[in-house]
Amino acid sequence: MTRDEAEQRVRELQAERSGFHFVARERADGAWEVANIPIPEQLRHGAYSETIEAAPRPSTGDDPRTGNEKRLPGLPGGIG
């Protein structure tokens, strides 16, 4: 089987079976084959949508550290 034939077969099998992921791979002798990888039930999902819902980001609270704590790394107050 050639690479093009294997890739065509991958597309056909992928359209028929949803519980597997198919890939074309080259064997050690140079021939191409189709390998199937089972996908566990918990990793399967439905079709993706083309839209992404955007929601407003929550405001970040004020930084409770003092000025010294902000300027100096380490323990609170720069001690350490």
Side-chain angles (χ1 to χ4, degrees):
M1 180 180 291
T2 66
R3 181 178 185 171
D4 292 335
E5 291 171 342
E7 290 175 352
Q8 176 62 30
R9 185 67 181 143
V10 164
R11 287 189 290 274
E12 293 169 0
L13 290 171
Q14 199 65 52
E16 294 172 7
R17 301 180 191 169
S18 61
F20 292 90
H21 180 73
F22 295 92
V23 294
R25 65 180 181 182
E26 188 174 12
R27 295 191 316 219
D29 63 359
W32 286 82
E33 66 183 356
V34 176
N36 62 345
I37 304 166
I39 300 173
E41 186 66 37
Q42 62 269 29
L43 297 179
R44 296 179 194 174
H45 45 74
Y48 290 112
S49 64
E50 295 183 16
T51 59
I52 299 173
E53 181 178 338
R57 299 184 85 169
S59 63
T60 56
D62 293 332
D63 192 348
R65 299 177 296 168
T66 65
N68 283 337
E69 291 172 336
K70 292 178 187 178
R71 288 186 288 276
L72 299 173
L75 295 174
I79 302 171

